[in-house]
Amino acid sequence: GDSVTQMEGPVTLSEEAFLTINCTYTATGYPSLFWYVQYPGEGLQLLLKATKADDKGSNKGFEATYRKETTSFHLEKGSVQVSDSAVYFCALKIIQGAQKLVFGQGTRLTINP
Amino acid sequence: DTAVSQTPKYLVTQMGNDKSIKCEQNLGHDTMYWYKQDSKKFLKIMFSYNNKELIINETVPNRFSPKSPDKAHLNLHINSLELGDSAVYFCASSLKIPGDETQYFGPGTRLLVL
């Protein structure tokens, strides 16, 4: 069935380091892909999305490119900040009569000053 | 203005009790969802309603009964609560426009069953 696999966490980096969180998916057809972020004690917020192959989603310095050939949607940021500490979820949207999101297991990111 | 709101934010209750969680969205969306996030942060869809009609039910026990009185509200009633129901429950909503069906999430309701 459709699934999303994220890199195991937790991930700990120093401020201004380069970030990559890997995400690969299995799906029939061409799903839309999303990254959501959950800050401590809060709900999920949409970070970025891409709806077709080779699309690049970007927001707040984060980027992810929809790679059909590798079925991947890796999240990157060139210089992380302490305020980026959160749990990041990769998700795909499938439509089986109705649309639903299938989430990866989440990656906890901690940025140290 | 809060786009998707949930009440209560925290809920602590005894096993066997019945409880409800309410969700409201003011985005004008026509589709609403309930997701469950377990202690390991894993998120899974439970239900989806479109225009007050149930369209997704992901093999959730019958003790869980969603109710949608109108397009802006989707409540979740849980009967005979069990320890395993302890989780964070998220409500979400979206608009059924092909190509732009981004889901917007509420802040979550943290349920602890003792």
Side-chain angles (χ1 to χ4, degrees):
Chain A
D2 301 299
S3 65
V4 175
T5 302
Q6 291 180 230
M7 66 186 289
E8 293 268 344
V11 174
T12 302
L13 295 171
S14 298
E15 209 165 18
E16 299 183 3
F18 184 85
L19 168 71
T20 300
I21 300 178
N22 289 339
C23 171
T24 57
Y25 67 90
T26 303
T28 51
Y30 303 105
S32 296
L33 299 172
F34 302 80
W35 277 100
Y36 280 85
V37 57
Q38 184 178 25
Y39 296 104
E42 298 184 13
L44 278 79
Q45 301 175 25
L46 177 66
L47 182 59
L48 52 85
K49 67 178 182 181
T51 58
K52 61 183 188 298
D54 299 325
D55 265 3
K56 178 187 280 189
S58 61
N59 186 25
K60 298 181 182 180
F62 291 89
E63 291 183 343
T65 301
Y66 190 140
R67 302 280 187 206
K68 187 177 68 173
E69 62 278 10
T70 54
T71 61
S72 65
F73 193 54
H74 304 321
L75 182 69
E76 296 182 337
K77 187 174 185 182
S79 177
V80 291
Q81 306 300 314
V82 172
S83 57
D84 294 327
S85 298
V87 181
Y88 292 81
F89 292 90
C90 185
L92 64 83
K93 184 185 74 179
I94 59 174
I95 298 177
Q96 294 174 335
Q99 63 136 329
K100 66 177 183 179
L101 288 174
V102 175
F103 285 90
Q105 70 269 39
T107 302
R108 182 179 297 279
L109 173 67
T110 301
I111 307 300
N112 294 321
Chain B
D1 271 352
T2 304
V4 182
S5 60
Q6 295 178 227
T7 53
K9 192 170 182 180
Y10 299 96
L11 187 52
V12 182
T13 188
Q14 299 287 331
M15 242 182 0
N17 284 350
D18 303 338
K19 290 293 179 186
S20 291
I21 306 172
K22 296 186 176 181
C23 177
E24 177 180 2
Q25 54 93 5
N26 62 6
L27 297 167
H29 290 167
D30 56 6
T31 307
M32 296 185 72
Y33 312 80
W34 277 110
Y35 287 84
K36 179 179 180 181
Q37 185 179 44
D38 64 23
S39 58
K40 296 184 179 178
K41 296 287 189 183
F42 186 65
L43 266 161
K44 194 168 191 303
I45 191 167
M46 300 172 69
F47 300 103
S48 173
Y49 270 71
N50 176 256
N51 285 319
K52 303 193 297 175
E53 281 192 44
L54 180 66
I55 52 175
I56 293 177
N57 181 341
E58 290 283 307
T59 59
V60 177
N62 290 339
R63 298 182 296 104
F64 290 79
S65 53
K67 284 188 173 50
S68 182
D70 55 58
K71 287 195 304 183
H73 296 84
L74 179 62
N75 304 322
L76 184 65
H77 189 75
I78 315 170
N79 289 325
S80 303
L81 278 155
E82 301 177 357
L83 294 177
D85 298 332
S86 296
V88 183
Y89 293 84
F90 287 102
C91 178
S93 71
S94 69
L95 196 56
K96 200 171 182 179
I97 296 178
D100 187 19
E101 296 171 335
T102 300
Q103 292 185 23
Y104 296 86
F105 284 75
T109 295
R110 285 149 183 80
L111 171 65
L112 177 60
V113 182
L114 302 174

